Amino acid sequence: MQITWDDFQKVDLRIGTIIEATEFPEAHNPSYKMRIDFGDEIGIKKSSAQITKLYNLEDLVGKQVLAVTNFPPKQIGPFMSECLVTGFYNTNKDIALAMPEFDVPNGSKLI
């Protein structure tokens, strides 16, 4: 299925830095809850992700991630997710986060 350039421009993909990561024991699948700083324009948003196979909590803080920031909030059990962190399945079906190779300012938009 092809999309138009206008369709792509509707998706607000931004870089943010994980400032807090905690266990999410209430999730159906093993997950973490995160607070992500997207800079002054967007601020801090919450998200959850099923990334427990490849990432330890203590290693996540300070990592920059690519996220969709203009989805409406979504209730995930007792947690309200405010953005969608992006990633890729590896060969074992574990999720590897989409991250920039170099540090970029929080809130930078994917172009």
Side-chain angles (χ1 to χ4, degrees):
M1 172 172 128
Q2 290 188 336
I3 63 171
T4 67
W5 181 252
D6 288 337
D7 292 333
F8 176 72
Q9 287 186 306
K10 291 176 187 175
V11 181
D12 197 14
L13 286 156
R14 304 279 184 130
I15 289 294
T17 300
I18 299 170
I19 59 172
E20 182 181 47
T22 58
E23 298 281 349
F24 189 8
E26 303 89 355
H28 290 298
N29 296 311
S31 302
Y32 294 141
K33 296 186 286 188
M34 297 172 286
R35 292 180 62 235
I36 304 165
D37 182 357
F38 291 99
D40 292 337
E41 181 184 346
I42 296 172
I44 296 170
K45 290 188 174 262
K46 299 180 294 183
S47 187
S48 67
Q50 297 175 16
I51 56 173
T52 60
K53 296 283 186 179
L54 298 180
Y55 301 94
N56 295 318
L57 284 173
E58 50 278 354
D59 297 330
L60 287 171
V61 174
K63 287 195 181 299
Q64 289 194 300
V65 293
L66 182 65
V68 178
T69 59
N70 63 335
F71 277 137
K74 181 177 181 172
Q75 191 74 43
I76 302 173
F79 182 75
M80 183 65 72
S81 181
E82 301 170 321
C83 64
L84 175 69
V85 174
T86 62
F88 304 91
Y89 286 115
N90 68 10
T91 55
N92 295 324
K93 300 289 186 202
D94 302 322
I95 298 173
L97 292 169
M99 297 184 276
E101 184 176 355
F102 303 102
D103 286 345
V104 294
N106 286 338
S108 293
K109 187 172 176 134
L110 181 73
I111 55 170

